[in-house]
Amino acid sequence: MKQRPILSVEDVHHSFGKFAALSGVSLQVPEGRLTALIGPNGAGKTTFYNVVSGRYRPSRGKVRFLGRDVTGLPPHRLCALGLARSFQITNIFERLTVLENVQVPLVVKNRGTFCFWRRLHRDGALEKAALEVLAMVGLEDKARWGVHELPYGDKRLVEMAIVLAGRPQMVLLDEPTAGMNPEETDHMIRLIKSLAETSGTTFFITEHDMKVVFSVADYIYVLHQGRLLAEGTPEEIRADRRVREAYLGGTSEP
Ligand SMILES: Nc1ncnc2c1ncn2[C@@H]1O[C@H](COP(=O)(O)OP(=O)(O)OP(=O)(O)O)[C@@H](O)[C@H]1O
């Protein structure tokens, strides 16, 4: 990979008791590219995300973000540095409107500057900023809806808007299309692609749905039994015999 890595993971190990869930995983995520991490059930993807996003401190190894050693920093510190993780929709405020949900992180991001916050309210800048973020995910027309009125796919878009409101440099997207119907999935695929191209944010996704992975990712890493099994472009991964074997005993594509 030629581009500057925004995220670099070096020889990461993580164990639960005697069970090694990650064994010597190293990878790099280049700035501005859409990178995916895939692997069969139990491969270690969630554990890896928890290490990178600061929920777990690895038993060994380093995580560097923008060249800085961030190993073991808690999620809120990483978020402040520009590394955000998509939250599950359980973290959305159902009783607030879509607009208010996006205003919350904008206020949090600007906390400590009370005068700024007051000014935001006074001149409508807070609402304008939130509407801009909602336009990025195509939800501006539903800004005044209560979140509880939204279909599931739109709630996931609110989740995305909340993450984007913090203007992160990099977003870890954990199963962005999980639970979506085909139409919602297609919309989310188009959105992720367009955000990756236009927002200046680097996306790193895990996803079970191979249609999603192969249509959005520029580069793919494959985990298997806690180790990196393969890496490459979607075409290379699709053609990789080891990857086929890891998924379905070699009889089918991942
Ligand atoms: N808190 C935990 N305590 C003990 N073992 C765990 C814990 N979390 C995960 N594991 C084990 O670590 C291994 C990797 O799990 P992980 O959830 O990271 O895999 P995954 O690739 O995300 O799987 P899936 O695709 O099924 O979500 C599995 O064998 C799992 O049972």
Side-chain angles (χ1 to χ4, degrees), residues 7-24:
L7 179 78
S8 177
V9 175
E10 299 161 15
D11 193 29
V12 156
H13 294 244
H14 193 75
S15 300
F16 298 105
K18 288 189 176 158
F19 176 73
L22 295 174
S23 306

Side-chain angles (χ1 to χ4, degrees), residues 119-185:
R119 186 174 61 77
L120 278 176
H121 261 303
R122 197 181 54 231
D123 62 13
L126 180 62
E127 183 171 316
K128 189 162 166 276
L131 285 171
E132 276 172 18
V133 178
L134 287 173
M136 289 169 77
V137 302
L139 272 184
E140 67 272 39
D141 292 345
K142 293 179 180 162
R144 315 279 167 197
W145 287 37
V147 165
H148 65 278
E149 298 173 278
L150 296 177
Y152 178 79
D154 282 351
K155 289 185 183 179
R156 298 295 311 255
L157 294 176
V158 175
E159 173 201 345
M160 179 79 96
I162 288 170
V163 172
L164 293 173
R167 302 283 176 198
Q169 299 198 54
M170 179 171 176
V171 175
L172 303 173
L173 275 182
D174 203 353
E175 307 248 352
T177 67
M180 288 187 171
N181 65 34
E183 198 183 318
E184 291 169 340
T185 298

Side-chain angles (χ1 to χ4, degrees), residues 88-123:
Q88 294 306 308
I89 56 172
T90 45
N91 284 357
I92 295 179
F93 297 108
E94 289 273 336
R95 293 189 168 276
L96 298 185
T97 65
V98 171
L99 186 72
E100 287 163 344
N101 265 279
V102 179
Q103 287 175 323
V104 170
L106 287 172
V107 170
V108 170
K109 188 169 170 61
N110 296 295
R111 72 187 182 282
T113 48
F114 178 66
C115 293
F116 174 70
W117 189 73
R118 261 204 331 211
R119 186 174 61 77
L120 278 176
H121 261 303
R122 197 181 54 231
D123 62 13

